[in-house]
Amino acid sequence: MSIKENVLKIEERIQKACDKVGRKREEVILLAASKTQPVEKIIEAYESGIRYFGENKVQEGIEKIEKLKEYADIHWHLIGGLQTNKVKYAVKYYELIHSVDRQALVDEIEKRGEKLNKVIDGLIEVNFGEESKFGVKKDNLKELFEYILTKKYIKIHGLMAIPPYFENPEDVRPYFIKLRTLRDNLEKEYNVKLSHLSMGMSHDFEVAIEEGATIVRIGTAIFGERNYAK
Ligand SMILES: *Cc1c(COP(=O)(O)O)cnc(C)c1O
């Protein structure tokens, strides 16, 4: 199957999932997880209608962003873990950082944002277990959120998670519900708006959409299997 066919298929499935729970298609951003994919493949996805791309590694992504400058309406997101020494590059190139997960990182983002006089947009990544080494544990989420509220140059728009992998996507549903609940609780407790839930990947995005995902990050189902493990 070509990338174009894959995207069409995914679009149908997204629409179906939205219909099932009475959501509008426009509420869900289809973000192509393009790690390890060459720019040619990204262009194919672009020509299939995709405008959001997520990269895992700051530098790998920047090389592609530079090569694809003429595609000015691409939204580039950073979806992989962020090292503090890469922040100064990340804040210049990426529109949204999905992986804000610790105070030291917040401090560095604040510092770089202040230098650029630019508010940096981010999501807090929550860690639900062994699947990802990144993310704040849910018991420490409030503390991190409060810490960020004291900062001027970083704004949090929601939560992101990579739940454990299950063969049956239904088994992931409780994690999606949990992330949404954590978001809802923060909104209530701090009287803020957190519009985004970045959750759902190739094998479970429909369930994620049913549970409120606003950004689904899809790699394999668009580009095919990657050459090396994620
Ligand atoms: C690779 C990756 C995805 C996409 O995974 P697929 O299973 O290939 O859809 C989503 N989110 C993150 C953070 C990733 O690293």
Side-chain angles (χ1 to χ4, degrees), residues 33 35 56 79-80 160 162 201-203 217-221 226 230:
K35 60 172 175 273
N56 283 65
I79 61 176
M160 178 272 218
I162 308 172
M201 307 182 3
S202 290
H203 73 293
R217 311 177 309 267
I218 300 183
T220 318
R226 285 178 290 277
K230 49 186 167 177

Side-chain angles (χ1 to χ4, degrees), residues 1-7 31-55 60 64 67-68 71 74 76 218-227:
M1 288 249 279
S2 69
I3 287 177
K4 190 161 231 135
E5 288 169 312
N6 289 342
V7 171
L31 176 142
S34 47
K35 60 172 175 273
T36 80
Q37 304 298 339
V39 289
E40 295 74 31
K41 294 275 172 88
I42 293 177
I43 291 170
E44 254 184 272
Y46 179 91
E47 284 167 351
S48 312
I50 299 210
R51 292 295 178 272
Y52 288 80
F53 290 87
E55 286 287 331
E60 181 188 330
K64 297 178 197 176
K67 285 185 194 158
L68 293 168
Y71 297 85
I74 293 185
W76 293 98
I218 300 183
T220 318
I222 294 175
F223 297 108
E225 290 294 333
R226 285 178 290 277
N227 288 328

Side-chain angles (χ1 to χ4, degrees), residues 163-205:
Y165 179 87
F166 293 99
E167 207 57 46
N168 181 358
E170 276 304 323
D171 295 338
V172 194
R173 191 182 295 273
Y175 293 90
F176 294 144
I177 294 174
K178 185 80 214 166
L179 194 69
R180 187 188 66 222
T181 308
L182 289 170
R183 188 275 308 268
D184 293 348
N185 291 346
L186 288 177
E187 282 191 325
K188 262 189 234 125
E189 182 159 353
Y190 298 97
N191 193 27
V192 290
K193 182 81 198 139
L194 299 169
S195 334
H196 282 299
L197 284 173
S198 168
M199 59 188 195
M201 307 182 3
S202 290
H203 73 293
D204 57 16
F205 66 87

Side-chain angles (χ1 to χ4, degrees), residues 104-134:
L105 181 58
V106 171
D107 290 341
E108 186 63 20
I109 294 173
E110 174 77 2
K111 182 172 131 193
R112 297 295 168 181
E114 183 168 14
K115 258 196 182 133
L116 297 172
N117 193 28
K118 170 181 164 189
V119 175
I120 309 304
D121 294 311
L123 308 176
I124 295 182
E125 179 173 355
V126 178
N127 186 324
F128 284 126
E130 65 298 328
E131 201 72 6
S132 170
K133 54 185 186 293
F134 305 107

